[in-house]
């Protein structure tokens, strides 16, 4: 069923099958039923009826003390056994026994005081020597003072005026730095006055001058080669250094993946042995190997055979 709203606010339902026991009205076939919103909500609010044939849901009304299933006449007229009567008895209650007190709000935020009342017997009871020893409080140290201002002790005037011994004065000296120790150099050194007022020599001024080029500070990546360089003949040492690195003796290159087959190999005739080895091995399948049509047939020799006395003795059944 697919509900739809009309322009007037009504709900229209289309039913494509027969739906019974779930609504008061029965919709058969593909019919159009117009109903209001309240009637539609009441119809949908009703519980779904079970389709089971054994269910008594239509006769059961929840919220009362009636049994879900009807009690048979045999159960109503039956007599209980002694064991059932014994088990059906409630647990005996002893009003004179002292039960532990359990407050009503023990596990609640507004619970009462958990201090239980003291019985008269415990009030008049006498304690043992062991309990009296354990009940004594811990004794305070005799040198304990309640008015201590600070844990820092004051220095006496005699200690302030005392003179130290040479051993104490020696031990009080800080550890000295090694004689070869050098401190870290500062990242920005200070230029001395002599370096500031010094005058460079003629050699330093000559070395400080930049290199002079004909083309200026930049030149093209290609430049003409001079005739002298083109006609120059290199020396034997230059020729020796210009040679590329040679392979070691006995070096063999990697064989190529594809190579040409020679004419002799193409025209060669194989021998009978090579042709015999070239024939593939033909193995039968497991279905043919395990197939035996005479598997359940007894052979003639087994039918004519005679068993020994030991086999006859073992073939006899066990007498129990």
């Amino acid at each position: 069923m697919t509900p739809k709203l009309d322009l007037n606010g009504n709900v229209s339902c289309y039913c494509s099958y027969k739906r019974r026991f779930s609504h008061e009205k029965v919709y058969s076939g593909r019919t159009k039923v117009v109903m209001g919103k309240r009637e539609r909500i009441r119809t949908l609010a009703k519980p779904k009826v079970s389709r089971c044939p054994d269910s008594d849901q239509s006769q059961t009304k929840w919220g009362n003390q009636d049994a879900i299933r009807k009690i048979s006449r045999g159960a109503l007229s039956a007599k209980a056994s002694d064991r059932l009567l014994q088990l059906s008895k409630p647990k005996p209650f002893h009003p004179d026994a002292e039960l532990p007190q359990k407050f009503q709000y023990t596990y609640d935020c507004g619970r009462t005081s958990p201090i239980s009342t003291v019985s008269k017997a415990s009030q008049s009871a006498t304690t043992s020597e062991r309990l009296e020893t354990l009940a004594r409080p811990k004794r305070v140290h005799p040198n304990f003072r309640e008015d201590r201002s600070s844990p820092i002790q004051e220095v006496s005037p005699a200690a302030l005026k005392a003179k130290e011994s040479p051993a104490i004065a020696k031990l009080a000296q800080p550890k000295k730095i090694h004689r070869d120790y050098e401190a870290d150099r500062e990242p920005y050194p200070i230029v001395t006055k002599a370096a500031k007022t010094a005058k460079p020599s003629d050699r330093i001024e000559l070395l400080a001058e930049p290199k002079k080029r004909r083309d200026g500070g930049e030149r093209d990546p290609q430049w003409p080669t001079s005739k002298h360089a083109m006609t120059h003949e290199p020396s034997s040492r230059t020729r020796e250094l210009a040679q590329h690195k040679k392979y070691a003796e006995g070096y063999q290159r990697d064989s190529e993946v594809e190579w040409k087959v020679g004419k002799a190999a193409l025209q060669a005739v194989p021998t009978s042995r090579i042709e015999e080895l070239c024939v593939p091995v033909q193995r039968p399948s497991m279905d043919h190997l395990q197939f035996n049509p005479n598997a359940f047939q007894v052979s003639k020799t087994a039918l004519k055979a005679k068993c020994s006395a030991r086999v006859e003795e073992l073939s006899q059944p066990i007498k129990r």
Side-chain angles (χ1 to χ4, degrees), residues 1-2 13-17 19 27-33:
M1 180 182 293
T2 56
C13 304
Y14 292 92
C15 304
S16 59
Y17 60 93
R19 187 178 181 88
Y27 308 107
S28 60
R30 188 173 181 83
T31 60
K32 181 178 180 182
V33 180

Side-chain angles (χ1 to χ4, degrees), residues 306-317:
K306 293 182 180 180
C307 57
S308 59
R310 178 58 178 166
V311 174
E312 288 182 356
E313 182 182 356
L314 294 173
S315 63
Q316 293 179 3

Side-chain angles (χ1 to χ4, degrees), residues 246-320:
K246 297 180 180 179
Y247 295 104
E249 294 182 2
Y251 172 76
Q252 294 181 359
R253 293 185 178 180
D254 298 337
S255 59
E256 297 180 358
V257 180
E258 297 180 359
W259 59 89
K260 295 181 179 180
V261 183
K263 293 182 180 180
L266 292 171
Q267 298 175 0
V269 179
T271 60
S272 58
R273 177 59 179 167
I274 293 174
E275 290 181 353
E276 182 181 356
L277 294 173
C278 290
V279 176
V281 180
Q282 295 180 357
R283 295 185 176 88
S285 62
M286 295 301 295
D287 298 337
H288 292 84
L289 289 174
Q290 295 178 357
F291 178 72
N292 186 8
N294 301 325
F296 299 97
Q297 291 184 1
V298 184
S299 60
K300 295 180 180 180
T301 55
L303 292 171
K304 297 178 181 179
K306 293 182 180 180
C307 57
S308 59
R310 178 58 178 166
V311 174
E312 288 182 356
E313 182 182 356
L314 294 173
S315 63
Q316 293 179 3
I318 299 174
K319 296 181 181 179
R320 303 180 189 276

Side-chain angles (χ1 to χ4, degrees), residues 139-150:
R139 296 181 180 179
V140 185
H141 197 270
N143 298 330
F144 174 74
R145 295 181 181 178
E146 295 183 359
D147 56 347
R148 288 188 301 175
S149 59
S150 174

